[in-house]
Amino acid sequence: MIYRENGQFKTSYRADSAILAIRQDRWAMAALLALAFVGLPLLGNEYLFRAILIPFLILALAALGLNVLVGYCGQISLGTGAFMAVGAYAAYNFQVRIEGMPLILSLLLGGACSTVVGVLFGIPSLRIKGLYLAVATLAAQFFCDWAFLRIKWFTNNSSSGNVSVSDLSVFGLAIESPAQKYLFCLSFVCVFALLTKNLVRGAIGREWMAMRDMDVAAAVIGIRPVYAKLSAFAVSSFIVGVAGALWGFVHLGSWEPAAFSIDRSFQLLFMVILGGLGSIMGSFFGAAFIIFLPLLLNQIPHWLGIPMGTETASHLELMVFGALIVFFLIKEPHGLARLWSTGKEKLRLWPFPH
């Protein structure tokens, strides 16, 4: 009875096309943002920020970028880790080679460099698709791994290939404590989530979804495949590049090319599949699932009094991930976001959810 929209009339097109059309959704979003920006910084501890919330936010941002390409435009990509690495190393070079470079500008320029690389490796999508496109994007992963490992200029001539950043600050305010880093990442995620939501609701997003559903029919009605596909690669790579820069600067602080290996690409793809293809909310669901499930699996044996070694727990985690991916592909291809949407629709129509 609480989640009903009786009496909520829409008298303008602006109100009808609002992102949160139901009053209860607006209240819930306001409460969630208040908790995220005010409650958690006051109540959370260092472990919560460093091990859970900051990785969750950055991976959710990267999954959001990948969802633009895979979920909305239907272009398969296995090189997301490479685009994250480009964003991280480009932001690092802007930061160390240009005196007085603002942190936010370095992160955005890292995303811009990732955009250039993403568009270059997205050009094959104009001629190939499916498995062949996945292999082409996989080539980006191997090429970037080799470049950042062998070309010393990218690592500022570091002998070990390891780079590090310190003394982060924005507008003269130091970002040192875990709570400050969390708020910094949260601000980026909120801004990019809002921009992406509005983008996919507009003309560009409709072009992406038309290419995803049937590219030949989309071309017949006047949609340019070159523009639609390359714009999807550009937007996706930019968001992923910024996420990679945040991962290196804020979460790791010191990293090497192995931090953005092919395992990271597969992890992000699993997030998108489990969370929901073509859904902004699904990116957050997938990231939360990937972050919280290992913690839960590690605690369940202790709660039940079952002795379990570290290797067994890690193998169990991989088995559960694989089983859940197969389950969602068969039973609910649209992932957790679809289950969430179905539950909301049933509440809106209760007690006659049919």
Side-chain angles (χ1 to χ4, degrees):
M1 296 295 293
I2 298 176
Y3 194 73
R4 301 292 289 273
E5 51 185 319
N6 295 352
Q8 300 183 35
F9 302 108
K10 304 175 181 65
T11 58
S12 65
Y13 178 77
R14 181 186 182 93
D16 188 58
S17 60
I19 295 177
L20 301 174
I22 303 176
R23 185 184 302 120
Q24 291 89 329
D25 287 340
R26 294 193 290 270
W27 291 344
M29 182 58 66
L32 181 62
L33 290 176
L35 175 64
F37 278 99
V38 180
L40 288 176
L42 295 176
L43 302 176
N45 54 29
E46 182 176 354
Y47 172 78
L48 179 65
F49 291 125
R50 290 187 181 276
I52 299 177
L53 293 180
I54 292 177
F56 160 71
L57 290 173
I58 300 175
L59 292 179
L61 182 61
L64 180 66
L66 181 60
N67 216 339
V68 168
L69 183 63
V70 179
Y72 285 99
C73 196
Q75 308 300 305
I76 301 177
S77 174
L78 296 179
T80 316
F83 303 140
M84 288 184 69
V86 171
Y89 280 98
Y92 167 77
N93 279 276
F94 282 116
Q95 192 73 15
V96 299
R97 297 181 187 278
I98 301 178
E99 187 70 24
M101 172 65 74
L103 176 60
I104 295 179
L105 184 58
S106 296
L107 299 177
L108 296 179
L109 288 175
C113 294
S114 181
T115 299
V116 175
V117 177
V119 170
L120 289 176
F121 282 95
I123 292 177
S125 68
L126 305 177
R127 294 293 182 184
I128 59 178
K129 56 184 178 180
L131 179 62
Y132 301 100
L133 178 60
V135 173
T137 56
L138 189 61
Q141 181 70 54
F142 293 118
F143 174 78
C144 291
D145 286 347
W146 174 86
F148 294 128
L149 188 62
R150 300 297 180 185
I151 302 177
K152 298 300 182 183
W153 185 87
F154 291 121
T155 59
N156 198 22
N157 299 315
S158 173
S159 58
S160 63
N162 188 62
V163 298
S164 61
V165 291
S166 59
D167 300 329
L168 303 179
S169 64
V170 177
F171 304 119
L173 301 176
I175 303 177
E176 299 175 348
S177 67
Q180 291 172 333
K181 293 181 178 180
Y182 159 75
L183 289 173
F184 183 67
C185 293
L186 181 62
S187 302
F188 266 90
V189 172
C190 290
V191 171
F192 276 97
L194 180 61
L195 293 176
T196 306
K197 182 64 176 179
N198 282 286
L199 192 63
V200 299
R201 282 160 22 102
I204 297 177
R206 290 193 293 270
E207 290 181 359
W208 292 343
M209 289 182 277
M211 294 301 302
R212 174 196 65 190
D213 296 336
M214 187 173 292
D215 53 353
V216 176
V220 168
I221 64 175
I223 295 176
R224 294 174 294 173
V226 174
Y227 175 77
K229 292 183 178 180
L230 292 187
S231 63
F233 268 96
V235 173
S236 173
S237 301
F238 179 77
I239 298 175
V240 169
V242 173
L246 287 173
W247 186 262
F249 276 58
V250 179
H251 179 55
L252 298 179
S254 176
W255 72 92
E256 56 185 7
F260 304 100
S261 64
I262 191 174
D263 293 338
R264 185 72 60 200
S265 300
F266 282 116
Q267 183 188 43
L268 293 171
L269 186 60
F270 295 160
M271 290 181 190
V272 173
I273 293 174
L274 292 173
L277 293 168
S279 169
I280 302 297
M281 185 66 71
S283 303
F284 292 91
F285 283 149
F289 193 88
I290 293 294
I291 293 295
F292 290 108
L293 182 62
L295 299 176
L296 184 62
L297 291 178
N298 289 332
Q299 294 299 324
I300 287 178
H302 297 288
W303 294 340
L304 300 178
I306 301 175
M308 183 176 295
T310 305
E311 294 182 356
T312 305
S314 62
H315 293 161
L316 179 62
E317 176 183 333
L318 296 176
M319 292 170 60
V320 172
F321 279 156
L324 288 173
I325 290 172
V326 173
F327 172 79
F328 277 106
L329 288 175
I330 295 175
K331 294 296 185 180
E332 187 50 78
H334 295 287
L336 295 171
R338 181 59 180 173
L339 297 178
W340 174 261
S341 177
T342 302
K344 288 174 61 178
E345 290 297 326
K346 289 183 178 295
L347 288 175
R348 290 174 65 183
L349 298 174
W350 188 88
F352 306 109
H354 59 270

